[in-house]
Amino acid sequence: MLNRINSFLFSRYDHRDYREQQKARVIAILFAVLAGGMLALIFLFAIQQGKGFSHVTVLALYGIEVMLVASLVFMIYGNNLLASHFVLVPTNLAVWFILFANAGRQDPILLMNTVQYAYPIIAIATILTNRFWVTFYTLANIALTIMFSLLAQRSGYLSDIQAIDFRTDSITSLVILGVACFTVLRINIRAHRMVEESLQESNRKSEHIRNILDKTNETAMKLAASTEEMASTASSFA
């Protein structure tokens, strides 16, 4: 049963780069965790909190669920990069939707902690995408941080000192994380390139050695044939 599931999900990655195979598995795991979490939240908001299945919050969760399903479909059909964005975009939007929607309704200290969920999103982007998209998600979260802090400051939800402190700490953390993730990707790409070059060089040397062995074998066969011919000639004179 497990083999059939693996074959259905990952058959298009059998002959691909090892990194692409692992990215596909990460996307499948993220889909299972996030989709299950979204379903739980839908029932929590719709039934336990009595908002119903047509409430705007529940409808937003429906949208995220659809995007997660789309990510799985794209992954199955072999498009890891597009599938990764269908995981990263809704989760990133959900974080900032919570922040903007609850500004002024929730205690600032509790709400400010929500921005921390942007950090694992950038880390996941490091696993699933490339340096360009890690930079993109880092800058996008920095821009959203600035927008939120300015809005909260102007509305009086955060004092000037609180807004400046939140903005400084969040941007500094995001920049450090983005640079670190970018550097890790750069090192991994260089290491992978070096391994590929070493493997190609090894294959070239192996081919060269194989050619030498083939020529040696051919020479030995000719020498054996010449020796046999000389022995035959010598015996005819005896």
Side-chain angles (χ1 to χ4, degrees), residues 42-206:
I42 287 172
F43 283 100
L44 175 66
F45 286 123
I47 297 176
Q48 188 170 344
Q49 295 189 6
K51 293 183 177 180
F53 289 97
S54 59
H55 190 271
V56 62
T57 303
V58 178
L59 292 176
L61 293 174
Y62 288 153
I64 295 175
E65 196 76 31
V66 169
M67 294 186 75
L68 291 174
V69 172
S71 75
L72 185 67
V73 172
F74 284 120
M75 184 276 291
I76 292 173
Y77 280 93
N79 196 329
N80 268 345
L81 184 60
L82 188 57
S84 66
H85 291 309
F86 274 84
V87 172
L88 294 167
V89 170
T91 51
N92 204 59
L93 289 178
V95 170
W96 290 101
F97 175 79
I98 292 171
L99 280 163
F100 280 98
N102 291 289
R105 302 178 183 178
Q106 192 174 336
D107 182 76
I109 296 177
L110 295 176
L111 187 60
M112 294 305 101
N113 290 331
T114 306
V115 77
Q116 295 178 11
Y117 290 105
Y119 306 144
I121 291 171
I122 295 174
I124 293 172
T126 306
I127 298 172
L128 298 180
T129 61
N130 50 43
R131 289 176 291 180
F132 171 81
W133 289 110
V134 168
T135 304
F136 173 83
Y137 282 106
T138 301
L139 293 177
N141 279 286
I142 289 174
L144 288 167
T145 298
I146 294 172
M147 289 172 57
F148 175 79
S149 64
L150 291 175
L151 178 65
Q153 184 178 359
R154 289 173 183 173
S155 65
Y157 179 63
L158 294 177
S159 66
D160 291 344
I161 295 177
Q162 288 175 324
I164 293 172
D165 184 68
F166 168 76
R167 190 160 52 240
T168 303
D169 291 346
S170 299
I171 292 175
T172 302
S173 300
L174 287 167
V175 168
I176 292 173
L177 178 62
V179 170
C181 291
F182 185 94
T183 305
V184 167
L185 278 176
R186 185 179 181 184
I187 293 172
N188 286 343
I189 291 170
R190 285 188 175 183
H192 184 74
R193 187 180 297 119
M194 290 175 65
V195 170
E196 285 185 334
E197 290 175 353
S198 298
L199 183 60
Q200 291 173 1
E201 181 65 23
S202 177
N203 289 335
R204 283 195 296 268
K205 289 182 178 179
S206 298

